[in-house]
Amino acid sequence: MLPRYVSRVSHVLMLVLCLSAADDFDWTKNDRGSFYYGTFPTGFSWGAGSSAYQTEGAWDKDGKGMSIWDVFSHKKGKIFLNDTGDSSCEGYYKVKDDISLMKELKLNHYRFSISWPRIMPTGIRSDHVNEKGLKYYEDLINMLLENKITPIVTLYHWDLPQMLQEKYGGWQNISMVNYFNDFASLCFERFGNRVKYWITFNNPWSVAVEGYETGEHAPGLKLKGTGAYRAAHHIIKAHAKVWHTYDTQWRNKQKGMVGISLSGDWGEPVDITNQKDIEAAERYVQFYLGWFATPIYHGDYPQVMKDYIGKKSAQQGLGSSRLPTFSSQEKSYIKGTCDFLGIGHFTTRYITQKNFPSGRGTSYYTDRDLAELVDPRWPDPGSEWLYSVPWGFRRLLNFVKTQYGNPMIYVTENGVSEKMVCTELCDDWRIYYFKDYINEMLKAIKDGVNVKGYTVWSLLDKFEWDEGYSERFGLYYVDFRNKNKPRYPKASVQYYKRIISSNGFPNQREVENWKRKATETCSSSNQLLAAARRKSKENKEHAEMPKVWPVHDEV
Ligand SMILES: *[C@@H]1O[C@H](CO)[C@@H](O)[C@H](O)[C@H]1NC(C)=O
Ligand SMILES: *[C@@H]1O[C@H](CO)[C@@H](O)[C@H](O)[C@H]1NC(C)=O
């Protein structure tokens, strides 16, 4: 925990000394303009999401190979409380249960990811294809379709086969491009007749920066100033290759779409009259979202990245930029390889110009020459980095519209965590977060942004990477201490359900009733959960629970 906390503090400063989180709950201070009553375009798709490593469990079952996350989480000291995703929500055994939760919400789509090592244990197709792993996804997809829920499938949600890491250095190595293309091709071959929405990568920024620069995520490498750029370079090429594979070999038959899911916080200048702050805020967004979106929409990295990293590399006495370059052939191959853009968005920062002399070590963070700040009045109920700033969402969506030619957008991740260790199903703060963020998305659509769907992050509480189980993003609470991993609805389930059934926010009278109705049921759910917890605690006094639970509830 400690290293991560320290590194965060070093690049996120407070505008003023922060109040304690509990004092922060004045949501009105967030307001920029009034609430907009209205509905979404007909056919707007409402969903929720998950990812394989975070929810499936069954990490070594039915022939699955190891991923870099299996190995990373088993190392002591990497994850909060040394927790792992070994069993997590046991989603592998609970497909039926989880689909009934989606039906309760009346979701139009469900976003999940395919674990590469579950279907190719070494990562290499010619080594071995694991039919049992394929069968799991086959059943999941079929059951979704039977229930009229559209699958949106992510190919890479961070769980690289460990073998590819050990043998080739993972995303540091260009050979990943072909291996990933083989994996994607198998997925198109087996599932493409039923899956029409493919996402190549989820949040490649995090893969590059946290996997290869800070080492907070698997594979835990700290290749400061070079590792993230190289990983991103190969990921962009791999994305383009898979898009071309689909385009030339499958599109005619399968008529689906291939996109990518990029994450990006919004960066707002601290002082909107200061040109340096305005430029620094622009750099913040270009180094984040633009790093990946600009090559995919325009063929090359953002000019500010080329300028800043090039300048700093020269000051270091390097012969060439630490930012790799695309050949002109590669540029035209990469440009335009996106049928829709997935956007993951959670929060916003204020940005100001700050020079980092190149002598004092280099990193992705110092290359940007900026400082991130937060307003202490912004609500911060859960994850340390996640402040609720709804208006930033509308700005980011408008930025995407103007920068990349108004692409078709699916919001692939949006949500908020809670940190409370106690069981709390009356999640007011999540209700406010969804209400305000979804409302800002509605305003963005009125601005002309082409948003086609929205995905709550996430359906269930789950393994939250280096934070273990300490941060809960779910609409449904999961009791991880109970071996059956029961799910309990939070109040936000009822609230989101009403947004879905009204396709937005029809009028003030109705919407004002929703919160009261949503919280009516949660106190009884709270009691149920508390009773179950007491019971399991009593049992625990008799027999210490094993860490890995036996197989159960098989579908
Ligand atoms: C995690 O593992 C490390 C290294 O073995 C140990 O020092 C630490 O106390 C462990 N933490 C917990 C919460 O068990
Ligand atoms: C990439 O993998 C090849 C083996 O295929 C190896 O020779 C090479 O050193 C690797 N490159 C890096 C940067 O690890």
Side-chain angles (χ1 to χ4, degrees):
M1 275 311 283
L2 194 61
R4 172 121 185 209
Y5 179 72
V6 169
S7 79
R8 268 192 199 131
V9 169
S10 71
H11 57 257
V12 182
L13 309 167
M14 293 277 168
L15 276 174
V16 195
L17 272 183
C18 198
L19 305 165
S20 82
D23 298 331
D24 266 2
F25 274 67
D26 187 353
W27 295 81
T28 57
K29 295 204 174 118
N30 242 346
D31 208 55
R32 287 212 180 180
S34 54
F35 196 82
Y36 180 86
Y37 290 94
T39 52
F40 283 81
T42 313
F44 190 82
S45 190
W46 298 99
S50 73
S51 85
Y53 185 70
Q54 291 179 283
T55 53
E56 282 176 4
W59 72 289
D60 61 349
K61 294 296 187 300
D62 293 343
K64 177 180 165 295
M66 270 206 281
S67 81
I68 56 174
W69 270 96
D70 291 313
V71 172
F72 188 73
S73 68
H74 285 145
K75 287 183 185 156
K76 298 287 178 204
K78 300 292 185 192
I79 311 293
F80 184 64
L81 298 182
N82 297 325
D83 266 324
T84 73
D86 289 0
S87 57
S88 189
C89 308
E90 298 276 33
Y92 189 70
Y93 304 107
K94 287 178 163 286
V95 170
K96 232 184 197 159
D97 294 5
D98 290 341
I99 289 180
S100 70
L101 306 181
M102 298 173 210
K103 281 178 72 178
E104 162 70 21
L105 281 158
K106 296 209 165 59
L107 295 187
N108 304 116
H109 70 260
Y110 177 55
R111 178 184 173 217
F112 65 93
S113 78
I114 293 180
S115 159
W116 184 350
R118 195 179 287 291
I119 69 171
M120 289 182 187
T122 64
I124 298 175
R125 186 171 183 172
S126 57
D127 286 350
H128 178 55
V129 168
N130 182 27
E131 289 297 333
K132 280 189 174 168
L134 284 163
K135 174 85 170 38
Y136 165 70
Y137 295 109
E138 177 101 24
D139 291 347
L140 170 58
I141 291 163
N142 288 345
M143 227 181 285
L144 286 168
L145 292 171
E146 281 160 22
N147 288 287
K148 302 196 165 46
I149 300 166
T150 302
I152 297 186
V153 180
T154 307
L155 292 167
Y156 190 85
H157 205 124
W158 308 359
D159 46 358
L160 187 77
Q162 173 64 14
M163 242 279 300
L164 295 179
Q165 189 67 46
E166 273 169 29
K167 237 172 143 171
Y168 305 102
W171 291 107
Q172 291 302 293
N173 200 307
I174 185 72
S175 63
M176 287 311 102
V177 175
N178 285 333
Y179 292 129
F180 181 65
N181 187 58
D182 290 346
F183 161 61
S185 299
L186 178 65
C187 294
F188 297 152
E189 195 179 307
R190 293 297 185 95
F191 307 129
N193 59 343
R194 283 155 292 167
V195 173
K196 303 301 167 191
Y197 297 85
W198 294 100
I199 291 167
T200 54
F201 288 89
N202 178 72
N203 190 358
W205 180 91
S206 187
V207 176
V209 173
E210 295 177 297
Y212 294 90
E213 167 99 20
T214 67
E216 292 156 302
H217 282 185
L221 298 177
K222 294 175 184 163
L223 309 168
K224 287 225 159 81
T226 57
Y229 298 133
R230 195 199 304 268
H233 202 66
H234 296 150
I235 287 171
I236 292 164
K237 288 184 179 184
H239 161 81
K241 176 141 191 167
V242 165
W243 185 88
H244 280 286
T245 295
Y246 191 83
D247 198 49
T248 55
Q249 296 174 30
W250 303 100
R251 191 186 295 282
N252 273 343
K253 271 174 280 185
Q254 300 184 343
K255 307 209 167 6
M257 295 197 289
V258 177
I260 189 167
S261 175
L262 303 179
S263 293
D265 297 347
W266 177 244
E268 183 77 5
V270 167
D271 176 358
I272 54 161
T273 64
N274 181 334
Q275 190 58 28
K276 288 205 157 145
D277 281 0
I278 293 170
E279 285 168 16
E282 161 97 16
R283 270 201 310 286
Y284 176 79
V285 179
Q286 294 293 2
F287 267 76
Y288 207 144
L289 182 81
W291 184 4
F292 300 91
T294 315
I296 288 168
Y297 284 99
H298 301 304
D300 201 0
Y301 291 117
Q303 192 60 43
V304 278
M305 286 189 78
K306 294 196 283 185
D307 290 348
Y308 272 71
I309 303 162
K311 178 185 74 186
K312 300 236 170 188
S313 304
Q315 286 164 359
Q316 283 176 270
L318 299 175
S320 61
S321 176
R322 284 178 283 103
L323 183 70
T325 53
F326 295 116
S327 70
S328 56
Q329 216 176 5
E330 286 168 343
K331 286 177 193 170
S332 53
Y333 184 77
I334 292 164
K335 184 177 172 175
T337 54
C338 216
D339 302 321
F340 67 93
L341 181 61
I343 291 287
H345 176 76
F346 294 91
T347 192
T348 283
R349 293 284 181 269
Y350 277 118
I351 305 296
T352 187
Q353 154 81 26
K354 179 181 180 183
N355 285 321
F356 289 91
S358 54
R360 283 201 288 130
T362 58
S363 78
Y364 162 84
Y365 289 104
T366 57
D367 282 342
R368 303 175 306 172
D369 273 352
L370 57 85
E372 301 174 32
L373 300 95
V374 296
D375 184 333
R377 290 167 304 173
W378 288 346
D380 172 26
S383 309
E384 236 175 308
W385 51 271
L386 209 172
Y387 295 81
S388 175
V389 194
W391 51 263
F393 192 22
R394 181 182 184 181
R395 290 181 189 219
L396 182 77
L397 290 170
N398 273 283
F399 177 91
V400 168
K401 173 183 170 233
T402 51
Q403 292 267 316
Y404 313 119
N406 203 11
M408 181 194 293
I409 295 173
Y410 279 81
V411 174
T412 41
E413 292 187 343
N414 178 242
V416 66
S417 58
E418 68 242 25
K419 248 211 154 70
M420 306 177 188
V421 185
C422 69
T423 57
E424 184 48 86
L425 301 177
C426 302
D427 54 347
D428 294 17
W429 58 91
R430 185 174 285 104
I431 286 176
Y432 288 126
Y433 183 98
F434 283 141
K435 181 183 178 209
D436 292 340
Y437 270 76
I438 291 171
N439 199 245
E440 292 298 318
M441 174 174 69
L442 179 58
K443 291 178 190 171
I445 291 174
K446 301 292 168 193
D447 298 335
V449 184
N450 188 16
V451 187
K452 295 290 192 194
Y454 174 83
T455 314
V456 161
W457 194 257
S458 49
L459 182 70
L460 305 175
D461 292 340
K462 59 199 177 330
F463 179 79
E464 206 52 50
W465 312 110
D466 53 324
E467 306 296 346
Y469 295 96
S470 67
E471 293 179 8
R472 294 173 172 271
F473 275 87
L475 289 167
Y476 286 90
Y477 181 96
V478 177
D479 186 359
F480 293 108
R481 288 194 257 178
N482 182 321
K483 71 179 164 75
N484 292 316
K485 310 295 169 90
R487 285 84 159 119
Y488 296 84
K490 301 179 190 174
S492 50
V493 166
Q494 290 305 320
Y495 199 87
Y496 187 42
K497 203 176 146 175
R498 287 186 162 82
I499 295 177
I500 295 175
S501 66
S502 306
N503 197 32
F505 307 97
N507 61 66
Q508 188 165 1
R509 255 225 353 241
E510 202 169 319
V511 173
E512 276 171 2
N513 271 328
W514 288 352
K515 191 181 157 266
R516 187 176 45 77
K517 286 184 181 159
T519 45
E520 258 167 23
T521 49
C522 65
S523 49
S524 58
S525 307
N526 264 342
Q527 282 164 16
L528 269 176
L529 175 56
R533 299 281 296 246
R534 267 197 307 277
K535 203 163 148 231
S536 86
K537 209 171 162 192
E538 280 159 20
N539 292 342
K540 200 176 171 184
E541 277 156 17
H542 297 293
E544 203 49 43
M545 295 191 192
K547 188 91 177 145
V548 180
W549 298 101
V551 173
H552 55 82
D553 284 11
E554 200 141 356
V555 177

